[in-house]
Amino acid sequence: MTRHTLILLVAAALLLTSCGGQLYHTAYRNLSHSQWDSRDTLLFDLPPSNQDLDLSLTLAVRTTKPFAYRDIVTQLDIIRDGRTLSSTPITITVNDDPQPKTTGFLTRESHSAPSTLHMEAGHRYALRITHRMRLNPLDHIPTVGIIAE
């Protein structure tokens, strides 16, 4: 093994161990024609747990360069065993710079602030996400996802 390869392996290991939380579940849904219609209900089933968990939940959207709005207001419904427990508006800031710099990437991933989700053992949980924007459909959004840590 060369010294260069060893350095790369050590750097990769440090990067993986430096992450704050442990990933519990992540999932993304591709949207038809890169449009998110407010009638499009995105449902994400969470894997069941044998123990009670407190998860950090983050919503994610991928946008393409023409997306011109600063924020996307979403609604997150938490469903347990087929019944809605709560419904919360969540804002995802996409463009916090009025003059975004060109990065060369075709898509940009933006995240909501993390929120806490308490899961009780032995129950089935799902997350339902819709957008609450006046403009409908929202163009230039190819993907919406969740990250639970």
Side-chain angles (χ1 to χ4, degrees):
M1 183 180 308
T2 67
R3 181 180 175 151
H4 182 56
T5 304
L6 182 62
I7 291 172
L8 285 174
L9 288 173
V10 169
L14 288 173
L15 180 64
L16 290 174
T17 59
S18 68
C19 296
Q22 278 191 311
L23 184 62
Y24 178 73
H25 182 71
T26 185
Y28 286 82
R29 300 285 186 266
N30 292 325
L31 302 175
S32 178
H33 307 293
S34 292
Q35 290 183 327
W36 191 6
D37 191 289
S38 63
R39 295 170 296 202
D40 291 338
T41 300
L42 305 174
L43 191 63
F44 298 89
D45 291 318
L46 295 176
S49 175
N50 297 345
Q51 60 187 9
D52 288 1
L53 294 175
D54 286 316
L55 298 175
S56 174
L57 181 65
T58 305
L59 303 186
V61 293
R62 292 180 183 146
T63 56
T64 56
K65 283 187 183 186
F67 189 82
Y69 301 95
R70 178 171 193 234
D71 297 320
I72 299 173
V73 178
T74 66
Q75 178 176 315
L76 171 65
D77 298 330
I78 298 174
I79 302 165
R80 183 177 75 186
D81 299 327
R83 302 181 89 179
T84 302
L85 286 181
S86 66
S87 187
T88 308
I90 294 183
T91 301
I92 303 170
T93 299
V94 177
N95 291 315
D96 52 3
D97 185 351
Q99 300 271 314
K101 295 157 190 65
T102 304
T103 61
F105 294 110
L106 297 177
T107 60
R108 173 185 194 168
E109 185 163 309
S110 303
H111 301 102
S112 68
S115 58
T116 301
L117 170 62
H118 177 74
M119 286 180 51
E120 294 178 2
H123 292 279
R124 293 180 337 200
Y125 284 83
L127 307 173
R128 183 173 49 220
I129 304 170
T130 55
H131 82 73
R132 293 291 170 229
M133 301 292 286
R134 197 175 307 194
L135 178 65
N136 194 47
L138 291 176
D139 291 325
H140 310 295
I141 300 177
T143 312
V144 176
I146 59 152
I147 303 164
E149 298 177 291

